């Protein structure tokens, strides 16, 4: 609850080869007074690691970078409009697109933002918004992998028991080539087009977590009652649609103090 994030690295024991995890660094943000709600690693670029951190009660997403896993420094930030407090963040996993993130905030708002550079610092600007879910709370967001495509897909987990999947169409000019893979272009000439691809409605409680597979065609979601749903893109139809593959129900322990993270 002190706003810190610990970085761990997988290691192998000498002789036995046994795998274990070792803490290599602890990021402490003096400007963040709340607990950390969400974190997201960005794709590695030129050997550099990037990490976005979302903290309770803050309207700012802070981005840290490291060329060495034991040395992290503040690299940039995205400030959400007004006094809206952020609740979740997810990085675009593609190294072939300009650096982008999706950021959820109070009031059912989600921004798609991209990195811009100046001589003084690295900032982020809003490119577009997902349709606002008034009266709804976005509890988690997830950006899907898009191997070799100029379209993206992202999802939101919501307090109204639904998972929403969106398509994000970008321009070819957003794709990085050659030397731009290390440093993206200074400006974009086009905005993104957002469309709702589906509302997934098998949950009976607020959905707290969502995660894509490596293809971007399969999605897992879990609600606060421990129900896990596995969804898949239905390729048998001409129109984009999603089908429920299977569900799992986790046993819940009786603990009245559980799940106190009311974002």
């Amino acid at each position: 609850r002190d706003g810190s994030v610990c970085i761990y690295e997988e290691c192998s024991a000498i002789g036995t080869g046994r795998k274990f995890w070792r803490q290599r660094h602890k990021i402490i943000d003096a400007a963040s007074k709340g607990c950390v709600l969400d974190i997201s690693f960005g794709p590695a670029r030129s050997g550099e690691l990037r990490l976005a951190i979302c903290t309770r009660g803050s309207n700012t997403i802070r981005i840290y970078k490291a060329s060495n896993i034991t040395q992290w420094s503040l690299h940039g930030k995205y400030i959400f409009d007004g006094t809206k407090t952020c609740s979740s963040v997810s990085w675009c996993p593609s190294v072939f697109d300009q650096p982008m993130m999706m950021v959820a905030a109070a009031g059912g708002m989600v921004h798609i933002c991209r990195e811009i550079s100046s001589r003084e610092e690295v900032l982020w600007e809003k490119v577009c918004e997902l349709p606002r879910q008034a009266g709804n709370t976005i509890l988690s967001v997830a950006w899907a992998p898009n191997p070799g495509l100029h379209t993206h897909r992202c999802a939101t987990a919501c307090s109204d028991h639904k998972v929403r999947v969106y398509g994000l169409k970008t321009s070819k000019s957003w794709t990085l080539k050659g030397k731009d893979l290390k440093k993206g272009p200074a400006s974009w000439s086009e905005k993104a087009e957002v469309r709702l691809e589906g509302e997934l409605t098998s949950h009976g409680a607020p959905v707290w977590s969502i995660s894509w597979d490596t293809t971007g065609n399969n999605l897992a979601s879990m609600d606060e009652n421990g129900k896990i749903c596995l969804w898949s893109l239905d390729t048998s139809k001409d129109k984009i649609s999603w089908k429920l593959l299977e569900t799992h129900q986790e046993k819940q322990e009786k603990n009245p103090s559980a799940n106190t993270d009311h974002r």
Side-chain angles (χ1 to χ4, degrees), residues 40-208:
S40 179
F41 273 106
R45 298 176 185 270
S46 303
E48 283 190 347
L49 298 174
R50 297 188 185 187
L51 178 67
I53 300 176
C54 171
T55 55
R56 185 194 296 274
S58 174
N59 69 336
T60 302
I61 300 292
R62 290 175 174 80
I63 297 96
Y64 289 79
K65 74 171 183 177
S67 54
N68 183 314
I69 197 171
T70 62
Q71 297 177 342
W72 291 78
S73 61
L74 186 63
H75 179 63
K77 57 186 177 182
Y78 176 68
I79 302 175
F80 212 91
D81 293 344
T83 58
K84 296 292 184 181
T85 57
C86 301
S87 58
S88 186
V89 59
S90 181
W91 209 295
C92 171
S94 173
V95 296
F96 299 106
D97 289 273
Q98 300 187 24
M100 295 182 287
M101 293 187 301
M102 60 185 302
V103 180
M109 301 177 67
V110 178
H111 286 184
I112 303 296
C113 56
R114 66 101 174 186
E115 182 183 285
I116 55 175
S117 301
S118 66
R119 293 182 178 180
E120 292 79 18
E121 59 181 334
V122 176
L123 299 174
W124 290 69
E125 68 174 3
K126 181 177 70 174
V127 176
C128 64
E129 296 183 28
L130 299 188
R132 185 173 182 178
Q133 300 296 319
N136 195 10
T137 301
I138 309 297
L139 300 173
S140 183
V141 294
W143 198 310
N146 69 327
L149 302 176
H150 291 299
T151 58
H152 293 266
R153 185 170 284 131
C154 52
T156 61
C158 308
S159 61
D160 65 355
H161 310 177
K162 295 180 181 180
V163 174
R164 292 174 173 84
V165 180
Y166 298 89
L168 182 65
K169 185 178 181 180
T170 62
S171 166
K172 291 183 179 181
S173 67
W174 293 24
T175 303
L176 302 180
K177 299 179 181 179
K179 64 180 181 180
D180 289 335
L181 288 172
K182 297 183 178 180
K183 185 177 182 180
S187 63
W188 293 355
S189 57
E190 300 88 359
K191 297 294 183 180
E193 298 178 11
V194 178
R195 66 186 183 279
L196 178 65
E197 290 189 348
E199 289 188 348
L200 314 184
T201 57
S202 184
H203 288 285
V207 185
W208 281 90

